Amino acid sequence: LEPASRIKNLAHGFIDGGADLIIGSHPHVVQPREEYKNKKIYYSLGNFVFDQYFDPNTEKGLSVMANVDPYGKMQFEEFYVRMKSNGQTVLAEN
């Protein structure tokens, strides 16, 4: 699911205004990530906790760990997760 163009424009505007990282949420599915002006934009990480299992896509999420060195350089690690029907969130394969 692609983010709407107005959401992309907002994220770009935040970076143009000085943000170093954008992490969005709400559509309940993992959306594409983008690098804009050497800054990361995660439009949606999907779900980490969710109690509705009506769609396999809503059972998936992405967790991001950002490491920032003393000079401000960021490195990212991404971990896919999935929610089991018993409510447990576990690491998943891509």
Side-chain angles (χ1 to χ4, degrees), residues 1 3-4 6-8 10-12 14-15 19-34 39-48 60-64 76:
L1 179 66
R6 70 179 183 80
I7 299 299
K8 286 184 174 185
L10 280 170
H12 290 184
F14 293 148
I15 288 177
D20 291 319
L21 171 65
I22 307 292
I23 298 179
S25 65
H26 183 68
H28 295 287
V29 295
V30 176
Q31 289 185 317
R33 45 206 168 281
E34 175 184 8
K39 310 291 182 172
K40 287 268 193 186
I41 300 172
Y42 290 91
Y43 286 102
S44 174
L45 299 181
N47 291 318
F48 193 79
K60 300 175 186 174
L62 179 65
S63 181
V64 177
F76 300 91

Side-chain angles (χ1 to χ4, degrees), residues 28-29 47 50 52-61 81-85:
H28 295 287
V29 295
N47 291 318
F50 196 51
Q52 299 177 28
Y53 303 98
F54 55 84
D55 181 343
N57 291 317
T58 63
E59 295 174 15
K60 300 175 186 174
V81 297
R82 69 179 178 85
M83 281 140 293
K84 297 167 69 173
S85 59

